[in-house]
Amino acid sequence: QKEVEQDPGPLSVPEGAIVSLNCTYSNSAFQYFMWYRQYSRKGPELLMYTYSSGNKEDGRFTAQVDKSSKYISLFIRDSQPSDSATYLCAMTSGGSNYKLTFGKGTLLTVNP
Amino acid sequence: GAGVSQSPRYKVTKRGQDVALRCDPISGHVSLYWYRQALGQGPEFLTYFNYEAQQDKSGLPNDRFSAERPEGSISTLTIQRTEQRDSAMYRCASSLAGLAGETQYFGPGTRLLVL
């Protein structure tokens, strides 16, 4: 079993839909949780970052972390065609361990 | 300002050849990371530097892989005696101060194809 599991999709939604992406993980030491967005033929770029459990909102994006369930989510409201990309969850335990452990990524297409 | 740059962007080599992949991090960034990303997968950690010191090389798959960052800036990932299974996208990332949970900025990657 991989440390981080993420449904690769693909996920196709109409413009304006609410999108829910999620990851589960097995390593209880993970403390920092990120969502990266990766456009085709580009490197990943950080979208959202959360420390420990809780919610974080940034515009149309909301990240949720439930450490008790080892489950993280990213919600996209009013999705736009420009949101079409691969979304990767990533996490790290912090401390002296800075390497990120990524999920497989979910390919999202928002259709106009 | 300029982001992380990597060269070459594409590299095709024959099995058994050595290759060197270069990463130029964001200016002033202390930490530099190498990841490998297979098609349809997320990046997998290879190694990590703070300044010129290699702090963690636990992700390097075998002793054919090595990395250096001699002056604490540009880094080179070297793969000796390449094999077809080494074909992947190799990504470099850098972060400002090497702090836990800090944003890692990724480069465009080097696509390596071993024939």
Side-chain angles (χ1 to χ4, degrees):
Chain A
Q1 182 194 8
K2 287 178 113 27
E3 277 191 294
V4 179
E5 298 281 357
Q6 182 177 10
D7 186 340
L11 186 60
S12 180
V13 302
E15 184 175 354
I18 296 174
V19 177
S20 171
L21 306 168
N22 53 74
C23 292
T24 59
Y25 63 95
S26 57
N27 187 344
S28 57
F30 287 143
Q31 296 277 2
Y32 299 85
F33 304 91
M34 298 105 179
W35 286 94
Y36 277 80
R37 179 173 59 193
Q38 185 172 15
Y39 290 112
S40 182
R41 291 188 291 277
K42 301 287 188 183
E45 57 179 354
L46 183 67
L47 187 62
M48 296 284 285
Y49 157 76
T50 309
Y51 171 68
S52 194
S53 283
N55 294 0
K56 187 171 185 178
E57 189 172 323
D58 184 2
R60 296 184 295 109
F61 299 89
T62 300
Q64 289 185 351
V65 175
D66 181 350
K67 289 189 69 181
S68 63
S69 302
K70 297 190 178 68
Y71 187 89
I72 72 170
S73 302
L74 177 71
F75 297 95
I76 307 174
R77 290 182 300 281
D78 188 25
S79 55
Q80 302 294 310
S82 58
D83 296 329
S84 298
T86 295
Y87 290 80
L88 297 146
C89 62
M91 44 200 84
T92 179
S93 57
S96 60
N97 184 348
Y98 305 139
K99 64 185 181 187
L100 294 177
T101 301
F102 283 86
K104 276 188 171 183
T106 300
L107 177 61
L108 171 68
T109 301
V110 181
N111 301 298
Chain B
V4 177
S5 60
Q6 293 185 243
S7 61
R9 292 293 306 276
Y10 302 92
K11 178 69 177 177
V12 181
T13 190
K14 291 183 179 178
R15 189 178 53 191
Q17 298 292 308
D18 297 352
V19 295
L21 312 180
R22 173 185 161 125
C23 172
D24 197 345
I26 293 172
S27 178
H29 276 198
V30 164
S31 298
L32 184 147
Y33 311 79
W34 283 99
Y35 292 85
R36 179 167 68 175
Q37 186 172 16
L39 204 59
Q41 303 290 322
E44 288 190 334
F45 172 80
L46 295 176
T47 187
Y48 146 68
F49 293 83
N50 258 357
Y51 298 101
E52 71 281 359
Q54 191 170 22
Q55 300 288 349
D56 184 346
K57 56 181 182 178
S58 62
L60 295 177
N62 51 60
D63 60 9
R64 295 186 296 106
F65 287 72
S66 63
E68 62 174 10
R69 193 186 184 198
E71 297 178 0
S73 180
I74 292 168
S75 176
T76 303
L77 177 70
T78 301
I79 309 172
Q80 295 180 310
R81 305 181 303 281
T82 52
E83 300 178 6
Q84 287 182 327
R85 60 179 170 157
D86 300 333
S87 297
M89 177 72 82
Y90 289 82
R91 295 203 186 273
C92 174
S94 69
S95 68
L96 180 60
L99 299 176
E102 197 173 52
T103 301
Q104 294 183 22
Y105 296 88
F106 282 80
T110 294
R111 170 76 67 188
L112 174 66
L113 177 61
V114 182
L115 301 176

